[in-house]
Amino acid sequence: MGGPGVGSSSPIDPKRQAIIRYARKAFVKEGYAATKIEPIAREAGVSTATLYALFEGKAQLFTAVIDDAAADFARQMAWVRTVDGDARQQLTRFALAYADFMSDPFVRAIFRLVMAERPRFQAVAQRFFEKGRSTFGAALITLLVELSKSGALRAIDHPSWAAGNLMGMVEHPVFFIPLVTGDEIRVRRSNAEVVADAVETFLGRYGV
């Protein structure tokens, strides 16, 4: 899941990306406080001096990891676009992609890491959450506006509220329950069943 971080320069520095990739694994597994720089450099195949030349310290490396994860998540959702089909088909496609993404254990691990370190990295955490909200929410809001204008849905006075309702019905069972209870506890419904129920409820409110 590696990729260029937010604001990274082009061309991509392979050493920098290798460091970020292994640092992400270390931070997720060990937490911020327990993560050591030297093993990350060793796993990335670079010297500790090279790592410190690219990142001033662990705090800067952690910031780069979280920004890179946010950009990575945005790329994973970028392919979700409107497709031919009625409102149910288009909403189902978006919601299923969102459910599959939010139910990924690695995604939850990153969220747990950000939440755990939020007091120490307030600006980084805020940027991470804002990027997630804009990436997912903006795509759905655009879709809802288009469907409403075409007459496929009722007129929606507050598209952002409507988007939040649909996303919330998906998030609760596939993301927040495992986030709180642990990845070993899973809801009985499949993602497809969760999405079908959510879209049905949504269309009960906004369908024509």
Side-chain angles (χ1 to χ4, degrees), residues 166-180:
L166 179 57
M167 293 171 70
M169 286 188 286
V170 173
E171 288 170 357
H172 180 73
V174 307
F175 178 73
F176 285 110
I177 290 179
L179 186 71
V180 173

Side-chain angles (χ1 to χ4, degrees), residues 69-146:
D72 215 1
F73 297 163
R75 283 191 294 273
Q76 289 191 45
M77 287 298 293
W79 65 272
V80 179
R81 297 288 185 268
T82 59
V83 294
D84 292 337
D86 60 19
R88 183 184 301 275
Q89 291 170 323
Q90 295 190 55
L91 291 171
T92 297
R93 182 172 187 259
F94 175 91
L96 188 56
Y98 187 58
D100 288 344
F101 173 78
M102 295 300 284
S103 62
D104 185 336
F106 187 79
V107 172
R108 287 196 295 274
I110 289 293
F111 270 85
R112 289 191 186 105
L113 180 62
V114 171
M115 289 299 294
E117 299 301 331
R118 187 167 186 169
R120 191 180 335 204
F121 295 96
Q122 181 70 31
V124 176
Q126 188 65 31
R127 188 163 65 245
F128 179 81
F129 289 122
E130 288 297 331
K131 187 171 183 63
R133 184 179 298 114
S134 63
T135 297
F136 308 137
L140 181 55
I141 289 170
T142 298
L143 174 58
L144 295 180
V145 170
E146 292 175 351

Side-chain angles (χ1 to χ4, degrees), residues 26-27 30-41 58 61:
F27 283 127
E30 305 292 342
Y32 179 82
T35 295
K36 306 298 183 184
I37 291 295
E38 290 75 12
I40 294 173
K58 187 162 70 170
L61 180 56

